[in-house]
Amino acid sequence: DEEAPARPGLLGRLFRGPDAAPVVRRTLDDEMLEQLEELLIASDMGVDTALRVTANIAEGRYGKRLSVHEIKTLLAAEIARIMEPVARPLPIYPKRPQVVLVVGVNGSGKTTTIGKLASQFRAAGKSVVIAAGDTFRAAAVEQLQVWGDRAGVPVLTAPEGSDPASLAFDAMGRAQADGADLLMIDTAGRLQNRADLMEELAKIVRVIRKKDPDAPHNTLLVLDATTGQNALNQVETFRKLADVSGLVMTKLDGTAKGGVLVALADKFGLPIHAIGVGEQIDDLAPFDPEEFAAALTG
Ligand code: GDP
């Protein structure tokens, strides 16, 4: 009888019960390849990427009999190969403060990610300042303060509805005066009025450059992995609004849609600096392409 893992990977859904035994051999024929393609597409990998991955697996092996283990290994290797170039930790700049602008739609996990990052930098002995730049959402500011307390990091706020750029400017001044290593600036995530948001982000960048012409040193886009293909649209949108330098993918603990990371890597090649794997402060992990590929495939 069937012994399904808690959250089966792609091949765990294709091969079941006795058919899933690693030594069972399958012929790599059209039917098998089509099943693979469908699985990859269903995981939100995108049609082009899915077709290319299956074509690479079939190359030189079409019609051969492969064990389930071999198919898994091949698929995982293809996925890891696409992901390796984007698996890069947040680059650390020698300049103080390193300014990280954090963008993304509401609900993507911006606040949580800022809290987790602050905690990691604190643990590494760095001093951190957070600016609660989503001044129009009182709840977001409060939430950020909770995370700041947890991480032991000051959170600079401004009255509700006030200009985020002026808060960012003040936060730059404070971070410079304190000799802080890192300044993280949260931003609004309302896409309803893109022209407004674009102007708001541009103004933040403009004013912080008065204090450091190289700032922001990173512009992190936070994406919710459970939104599947929607994440691709968000990258396209935010790249028009800001100079996105890297991604954090959240909620990878709760999704079978992880394939979207492969589509993202393939399409945009933006570095994935970290992944969110839970709601707690320590639930932010470096992105490990082999581990990811194995879990997605498994
Ligand atoms: P924001 O609106 O972009 O600032 O989003 P929040 O940081 O407030 O996160 C929205 C929701 O997603 C909250 O309930 C978080 O606890 C949850 N969340 C954020 N990151 C993760 C993650 O990596 N895994 C899980 N399971 N939940 C997350």
Side-chain angles (χ1 to χ4, degrees):
D1 43 5
E2 201 168 323
E3 236 185 69
R7 187 158 63 81
L10 296 173
L11 293 185
R13 274 171 264 156
L14 184 56
F15 306 130
R16 287 164 193 270
D19 284 352
V23 294
V24 171
R25 292 192 169 266
R26 313 283 294 236
T27 304
L28 203 60
D29 55 12
D30 286 343
E31 194 196 333
M32 179 80 243
L33 289 169
E34 256 167 51
Q35 282 179 322
L36 272 178
E37 274 165 23
E38 273 168 31
L39 263 182
L40 298 181
I41 292 167
S43 81
D44 272 337
M45 196 173 285
V47 175
D48 294 344
T49 317
L51 293 183
R52 200 156 41 80
V53 165
T54 24
N56 286 349
I57 290 174
E59 202 184 320
R61 299 185 191 91
Y62 184 77
K64 294 220 162 89
R65 295 203 31 98
L66 301 180
S67 70
V68 167
H69 174 71
E70 283 168 325
I71 297 173
K72 269 189 197 179
T73 308
L74 288 168
L75 181 56
E78 281 298 323
I79 293 171
R81 201 159 57 87
I82 297 174
M83 302 312 286
E84 235 127 51
V86 302
R88 295 208 297 274
L90 186 71
I92 300 301
Y93 290 88
K95 202 158 190 174
R96 279 187 191 187
Q98 175 168 343
V99 182
V100 180
L101 194 65
V102 184
V103 301
V105 297
N106 293 338
S108 61
K110 275 197 308 287
T111 309
T112 310
T113 299
I114 291 171
K116 290 170 175 175
L117 278 172
S119 166
Q120 285 191 354
F121 278 95
R122 287 289 296 137
K126 308 272 187 201
S127 55
V128 181
V129 173
I130 294 172
D134 191 356
T135 58
F136 286 86
R137 267 202 319 162
V141 173
E142 255 169 53
Q143 200 52 34
L144 206 50
Q145 276 172 320
V146 170
W147 278 104
D149 288 345
R150 279 184 199 143
V153 165
V155 177
L156 304 189
T157 63
E160 193 174 343
S162 62
D163 182 8
S166 106
L167 172 67
F169 186 77
D170 292 346
M172 266 306 269
R174 162 82 181 269
Q176 285 178 331
D178 289 1
D181 295 300
L182 190 75
L183 168 62
M184 278 188 281
I185 304 175
D186 188 20
T187 62
R190 44 186 158 69
L191 280 182
Q192 296 84 340
N193 190 338
R194 287 182 200 188
D196 264 10
L197 185 55
M198 187 188 303
E199 178 45 37
E200 188 171 317
L201 294 173
K203 192 171 172 196
I204 291 173
V205 169
R206 222 160 43 232
V207 303
I208 60 180
R209 283 189 179 156
K210 289 186 197 298
K211 295 204 174 267
D212 177 353
D214 298 329
H217 304 93
N218 320 86
T219 300
L220 279 189
L221 172 59
V222 177
L223 294 173
D224 175 347
T226 65
T227 64
Q229 290 283 313
N230 203 4
L232 293 163
N233 302 334
Q234 285 175 23
V235 174
E236 282 185 339
T237 301
F238 274 95
R239 287 223 301 190
K240 291 182 195 133
L241 301 179
D243 191 10
V244 175
S245 61
L247 309 176
V248 172
M249 297 298 307
T250 66
K251 310 186 199 181
L252 267 178
D253 50 311
T255 181
K257 296 282 190 184
V260 72
L261 270 71
V262 185
L264 282 166
D266 214 22
K267 187 157 185 201
F268 301 106
L270 283 167
I272 299 175
H273 294 314
I275 55 170
V277 292
E279 298 189 83
Q280 306 302 314
I281 200 158
D282 291 328
D283 294 332
L284 187 76
F287 178 68
D288 178 334
E290 276 171 19
E291 200 179 292
F292 167 80
L296 186 66
T297 307

